[in-house]
Amino acid sequence: MLTVGLDLAAEAGNTALARLEWAGGACSVRGIQLACEDETIVDALLTADKAGVDCPLGWPVPFVEFVTAHRYGHVDVPVGTRGRDWRRNLALRLTDRVVRERTGLTPLSVSADRIGHAAMRCAALLSRLAREGRPVDRCGTGVVVEVYPAASLRLWDLPYRGYKRAHDLAALGRLVDALLAAAPWLDLGAHETLCRRSHDATDAVIAALTARAAALGLATSAGPDEIETASSEGWIALPTCSLDGLRPRT
């Protein structure tokens, strides 16, 4: 199996991509690229068995309805709803609320935070992928699944805070140490140094690990009452197994 992890930013400069090969009881990082342009990303997604993308795949349905209503007239706060609650409903997707309930972490709002710029780029990339004939489903059943590295790290009992702080390479190094201790079958090879100096590179590896969980059916998926919403908004796959549960068996 080949999994790809994509830490997607609005611009190429902060975008990282990792390729992980799973075979013979081990996982080897076959490549990590920084400053990835769209062509590089599409080429990688076309070769992946499963790809984890750290970026929202859609916008909240209520937000889309709000923008549409605003275009054609005036919008009203629902009767009996406080303004803050109403705005939160516009800002957070169903999957964001589920992640918060399960992990205590709240993903960035695709409709109210700067991550919306990355989501615009992601939407265009998914369209290109679909035109190339690869199945694309925002629920994650196609080649691409939405992931949230911080949540994966927390569920795997690994450091999940502080490693992205500017100039704090010590925290990033501790995360890499903990990851390799928890997964001795993971071979970063020549890319270990890069992971220790670039949190984008490390997040791409975590995204590819989570993609493996999704490919094996060892991650959360939208339930029957959630699929319709998730097919529009996207769905974050949370690993339901230990990190060692990803290791291929010989």
Side-chain angles (χ1 to χ4, degrees):
M1 179 183 291
L2 175 67
T3 63
V4 166
L6 178 62
D7 182 41
L8 186 66
E11 302 296 335
N14 294 320
T15 297
L17 187 147
R19 294 177 174 85
L20 274 58
E21 184 178 12
W22 304 80
C27 174
S28 300
V29 177
R30 292 306 184 196
I32 298 179
Q33 294 172 266
L34 302 182
C36 297
E37 299 286 351
D38 289 0
E39 291 295 337
T40 298
I41 295 170
V42 172
D43 288 345
L45 297 182
L46 288 173
T47 64
D49 292 301
K50 197 72 174 182
V53 177
D54 179 16
C55 180
L57 301 189
W59 281 261
V61 170
F63 174 74
V64 175
E65 294 172 345
F66 165 76
V67 172
T68 301
H70 184 267
R71 177 184 179 185
Y72 292 107
H74 298 288
V75 297
D76 298 308
V77 178
V79 176
T81 302
R82 294 187 307 169
R84 177 182 298 176
D85 294 335
W86 175 61
R87 292 191 300 273
R88 184 179 294 115
N89 189 49
L90 300 178
L92 295 179
R93 301 173 296 162
L94 173 60
T95 190
D96 298 330
R97 296 194 292 270
V98 170
V99 168
R100 183 173 60 189
E101 291 169 2
R102 294 192 178 212
T103 70
L105 301 175
T106 302
L108 293 175
S109 166
V110 66
S111 54
D113 287 313
R114 292 180 62 186
I115 199 170
H117 291 269
M120 294 173 192
R121 185 185 183 196
C122 186
L125 288 169
L126 294 183
S127 293
R128 290 185 58 178
L129 190 62
R131 288 196 297 271
E132 293 289 343
R134 293 304 305 270
V136 175
D137 172 22
R138 296 178 208 169
C139 293
T141 62
V143 65
V144 169
V145 64
E146 184 179 341
V147 301
Y148 182 19
S152 293
L153 289 170
R154 179 161 192 177
L155 291 168
W156 286 329
D157 294 321
L158 295 171
Y160 63 94
R161 293 189 186 277
Y163 69 94
K164 294 187 179 185
R165 285 196 293 260
H167 310 302
D168 192 354
L169 294 183
L172 180 57
R174 288 191 293 271
L175 168 56
V176 174
D177 288 339
L179 174 62
L180 294 176
W185 40 264
L186 174 63
D187 181 14
L188 296 178
H191 310 287
E192 181 175 340
T193 299
L194 178 58
C195 288
R196 291 181 179 277
R197 65 178 176 83
S198 168
H199 62 77
D200 295 327
T202 300
D203 271 352
V205 171
I206 301 301
L209 291 171
T210 308
R212 165 79 170 177
L216 296 177
L218 300 175
T220 57
S221 57
D225 297 333
E226 300 162 328
I227 289 177
E228 182 178 357
T229 299
S231 65
S232 174
E233 295 184 346
W235 188 265
I236 296 171
L238 300 174
T240 57
C241 64
S242 68
L243 190 58
D244 196 59
L246 304 180
R247 180 170 62 91
R249 307 303 172 183
T250 56

